[in-house]
C-alpha cells in the first residue's frame, strides 16, 4: 500500500488558497509457496502434496484451473474467496493413477489479472495385480503366491506360497526354488484392481519339493499353515 497528498494552490483576491486531497494506493499481490509439486506412490494408491496461497490487497478471489490430460490429479479447492486467500489457504493436490507410469499436469492460479503456474508431476510404481487370470496367482520377487479363497466365491486378504508351477504336485525343474528363499510376512498387490495388503499365511503342499538347489528358507511368523 502507498499514501500521499495532492495539494492544489491558486491565487485568489490577492491571497493564496490551497486545497489538499489525500491519496491512497494498493497493489494486489499473491504469494504461491512453490512452482512445482511432485508426488510418488504405487499404482492404485492415492498420495498427496500441498502448497499454500497468501494474498494481499486483492480485489477479487482466486481461481485454480487444473490441466490434467490423464485425469489422475485432483485439487481440494478450485477457487478461493478474497477473504480465504488473504487469510492464507493450503491447497492439497491428490494423485491417484490406476496405471503405472509417469504423469504430468499444471495448475494456473489466477487473481486480479495476474497468473502463476504450478507444474505437477506424478510417478506411479507398478504393483503386482492378482487378476482373474491364472486363478489369482503370481510370482513376486521370485516367490509364487496365490490368493486364498474365502469359500464363498470371494477372496481373503491372505496368500499361500506355491511351487512356481502353481500346482499341488511335485514341481518340475521349472517350478523349483534355488538359493535363498526368504518369505515376507506381507505383500502389497492389486486384487482385481484394488490396492490390498496381504498377509502370507500358508505354504501349499509341494511348494519346496524337489528343490535341491535351495540353500536357505526363512518362514515368517505370519505363516500358520503348511501343506
Amino acid at each position: 500500500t502507498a499514501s500521499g497528498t495532492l495539494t492544489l494552490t491558486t491565487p485568489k483576491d490577492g491571497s493564496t488558497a490551497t486545497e489538499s486531497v489525500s491519496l491512497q494506493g494498493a497493489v494486489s499481490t499473491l504469494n504461491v509457496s512453490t512452482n512445482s509439486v511432485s508426488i510418488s506412490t504405487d499404482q492404485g494408491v492415492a498420495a498427496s502434496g500441498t502448497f499454500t496461497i497468501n494474498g494481499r490487497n486483492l480485489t477479487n478471489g482466486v481461481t485454480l484451473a487444473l490441466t490434467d490430460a490423464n485425469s489422475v490429479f485432483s485439487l481440494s479447492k478450485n477457487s478461493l474467496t478474497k477473504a480465504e486467500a488473504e487469510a492464507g489457504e493450503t491447497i492439497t493436490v491428490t494423485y491417484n493413477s490406476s496405471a503405472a507410469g509417469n504423469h504430468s499436469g499444471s495448475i494456473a492460479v489466477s487473481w486480479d489479472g495476474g497468473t502463476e503456474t504450478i507444474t505437477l508431476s506424478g510417478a506411479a510404481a507398478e504393483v503386482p495385480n492378482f487378476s482373474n487370470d491364472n486363478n489369482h496367482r503370481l510370482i513376486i520377487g521370485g516367490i509364487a503366491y496365490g490368493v486364498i479363497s474365502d469359500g464363498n466365491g470371494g477372496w481373503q486378504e491372505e496368500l499361500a506360497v506355491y511351487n512356481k508351477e502353481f500346482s499341488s504336485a511335485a514341481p518340475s525343474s521349472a517350478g523349483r526354488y534355488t538359493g535363498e528363499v526368504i518369505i515376507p510376512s506381507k505383500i502389497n498387490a492389486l486384487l482385481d484392481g484394488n490396492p490390498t495388503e496381504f498377509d502370507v499365511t500358508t505354504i501349499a503342499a509341494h511348494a519346496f519339493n524337489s528343490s535341491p538347489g535351495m540353500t536357505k528358507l526363512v518362514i515368517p511368523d505370519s505363516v500358520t499353515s503348511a501343506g
Side-chain angles (χ1 to χ4, degrees):
T1 59
S3 61
T5 303
L6 174 64
T7 302
L8 307 176
T9 304
T10 182
K12 181 180 180 182
D13 299 331
S15 62
T16 300
T18 61
E19 291 286 346
S20 296
V21 179
S22 296
L23 306 177
Q24 296 289 332
V27 177
S28 62
T29 61
L30 193 78
N31 179 60
V32 181
S33 62
T34 184
N35 59 9
S36 64
V37 176
S38 298
I39 305 171
S40 298
T41 185
D42 292 332
Q43 68 179 115
V45 179
S48 62
T50 62
F51 63 93
T52 58
I53 291 175
N54 199 304
R56 295 185 63 187
N57 303 316
L58 299 180
T59 302
N60 301 296
V62 177
T63 60
L64 297 92
L66 175 64
T67 299
D68 177 16
N70 300 106
S71 300
V72 293
F73 296 100
S74 61
L75 303 179
S76 56
K77 284 190 174 183
N78 294 312
S79 64
L80 301 176
T81 65
K82 176 181 182 297
E84 288 174 332
E86 291 185 343
E89 187 83 16
T90 297
I91 304 296
T92 299
V93 182
T94 300
Y95 170 65
N96 190 356
S97 173
S98 60
N102 298 317
H103 304 91
S104 62
S106 64
I107 306 169
V109 182
S110 301
W111 81 101
D112 292 354
T115 300
E116 292 275 355
T117 300
I118 300 173
T119 60
L120 304 176
S121 59
E126 185 174 5
V127 174
N129 186 5
F130 286 98
S131 65
N132 283 317
D133 299 335
N134 64 30
N135 296 314
H136 285 71
R137 296 183 182 182
L138 281 176
I139 295 177
I140 305 172
I143 299 176
Y145 300 96
V147 185
I148 298 175
S149 169
D150 65 4
N152 296 309
W155 305 95
Q156 301 183 58
E157 294 180 356
E158 297 182 14
L159 299 179
V161 175
Y162 287 84
N163 67 63
K164 294 180 182 180
E165 294 171 331
F166 301 109
S167 71
S168 58
S172 68
S173 59
R176 298 171 184 170
Y177 289 92
T178 58
E180 294 187 355
V181 179
I182 302 174
I183 302 173
S185 60
K186 295 182 181 293
I187 288 288
N188 290 314
L190 301 178
L191 179 60
D192 296 328
N194 298 313
T196 305
E197 183 179 66
F198 293 94
D199 293 315
V200 182
T201 62
T202 303
I203 296 176
H206 302 287
F208 304 112
N209 194 16
S210 303
S211 294
M214 186 171 65
T215 60
K216 182 177 182 179
L217 174 63
V218 178
I219 301 174
D221 291 339
S222 60
V223 172
T224 57
S225 175

